[in-house]
Amino acid sequence: MLYKIRYALYSASIIATMLVLLPFFVIRAGNPKNTKLFFNLFEKVSKYLLNIHVHIENPEYLQNNEPGIVIGNHQHNFDVITVSKLYQSLIVVLGKFELGLIPIFGQFFVLGGNILVKRGNRRKALESMNKLETKVNKKGLKVLVFPEGHRNRKAELAPFKKGAFYTAIKTQSPLIPFSASQFVSLKYPLKGFERLDIYIKVHPPISVAGKTNKDIPELIAKSREVIQQGINEMNRHYIN
């Protein structure tokens, strides 16, 4: 019961943070600084209201103004909190075009400077990727992608989809892996309002210079190994 109350507070906190920042999002429509502002504020809200503390190692890999494709594991709806510490610089989320059609959320997503990509139609997909390449490189954006493609509560990472790696090669942006401790499988379900600590480790960038689509399997294998090892390392924080 207490967990349900906490989760309801979590959802309400997201909505409240969105409403507070809505004027900034409208005035600076499409500016990636909006999304950074949201996550920086929401991290403080979750810490003091929900008693959820996020710790990050090696944030310096994210603190430059260079393009990059940020990839890591995805466990739970609480990952809105998990990724909050990643927003050290301008990071946007790469989403399906249909996300922009969802009432309220879709508009907030777009106003935050996040990027919608059309899929299914090859010509439109290529046009979207060309626009993405220009936008990412011109503004020095980092793009956040969960390569598993869905939430995964298991100990082992799910197979990685290729989208993030196509994007990295298309934009010639390095892959920046991160690992989040598995608070879902090791600490979940949460008991009441006990303190929850989530640990993040950002790994050194993986260069894609000179790589082509033929190199994607190799990049997937390398990234997956780095992220899995990092998860195992971060999980040690939960050992008493």
Side-chain angles (χ1 to χ4, degrees):
M1 181 63 183
L2 286 176
Y3 167 71
K4 291 181 179 179
I5 295 174
R6 191 183 202 184
Y7 191 83
L9 276 175
Y10 164 75
S11 302
S13 298
I14 292 177
I15 296 172
T17 306
M18 290 171 59
L19 291 175
V20 168
L21 297 179
L22 185 58
F24 296 95
F25 273 55
V26 173
I27 293 171
R28 303 188 304 189
N31 192 327
K33 291 182 180 179
N34 291 340
T35 298
K36 181 182 178 182
L37 180 61
F38 170 82
F39 280 105
N40 288 174
L41 177 58
F42 188 64
E43 190 270 330
K44 293 179 176 59
V45 171
S46 62
K47 179 178 180 179
Y48 295 108
L49 180 62
L50 303 173
N51 201 20
I52 298 176
H53 300 247
V54 183
H55 313 269
I56 186 168
E57 292 185 20
N58 307 327
E60 62 273 13
Y61 292 129
L62 298 168
Q63 290 172 341
N64 57 48
N65 295 319
E66 299 296 324
I69 309 301
V70 183
I71 55 174
N73 53 316
H74 184 23
Q75 306 170 74
H76 191 274
N77 289 337
F78 272 151
D79 282 337
V80 174
I81 296 174
T82 300
V83 302
S84 62
K85 282 287 190 181
L86 297 176
Y87 280 75
Q88 305 284 324
S89 59
L90 298 184
I91 298 180
V92 296
V93 178
L94 185 63
K96 296 184 293 184
F97 181 78
E98 291 74 17
L99 286 177
L101 304 178
I102 300 175
I104 302 177
F105 171 80
Q107 289 71 53
F108 200 81
F109 186 88
V110 174
L111 289 172
N114 296 297
I115 300 172
L116 297 174
V117 176
K118 293 182 179 179
R119 298 170 182 171
N121 183 299
R122 179 175 174 78
R123 180 179 62 80
K124 291 184 177 180
L126 288 174
E127 289 177 358
S128 295
M129 289 304 295
N130 288 333
K131 291 179 181 178
L132 171 64
E133 179 182 11
T134 300
K135 191 171 184 178
V136 167
N137 291 324
K138 184 178 180 180
K139 297 186 177 181
L141 298 178
K142 292 179 177 63
V143 181
L144 173 62
V145 183
F146 291 113
E148 292 175 284
H150 55 80
R151 293 185 295 273
N152 174 28
R153 300 186 180 188
K154 297 180 180 179
E156 291 294 322
L157 288 167
F160 282 5
K161 298 184 182 299
K162 297 180 179 180
F165 303 90
Y166 282 124
T167 304
I169 290 173
K170 179 64 177 176
T171 61
Q172 280 298 286
S173 302
L175 294 158
I176 307 176
F178 74 89
S179 303
S181 59
Q182 292 175 311
F183 64 94
V184 173
S185 59
L186 299 177
K187 298 288 286 185
Y188 181 89
L190 303 173
K191 297 178 182 178
F193 287 89
E194 68 177 9
R195 172 171 169 151
L196 171 63
D197 290 279
I198 300 174
Y199 300 89
I200 303 273
K201 181 173 184 177
V202 184
H203 304 281
I206 298 173
S207 175
V208 299
K211 302 290 186 181
T212 67
N213 290 346
K214 293 182 180 179
D215 298 301
I216 286 179
E218 175 189 345
L219 290 170
I220 287 178
K222 183 175 183 179
S223 300
R224 197 171 183 276
E225 180 180 6
V226 167
I227 294 171
Q228 186 70 65
Q229 289 179 350
I231 291 171
N232 296 339
E233 182 182 344
M234 293 299 97
N235 285 347
R236 296 192 186 106
H237 287 286
Y238 296 139
I239 299 176
N240 296 323

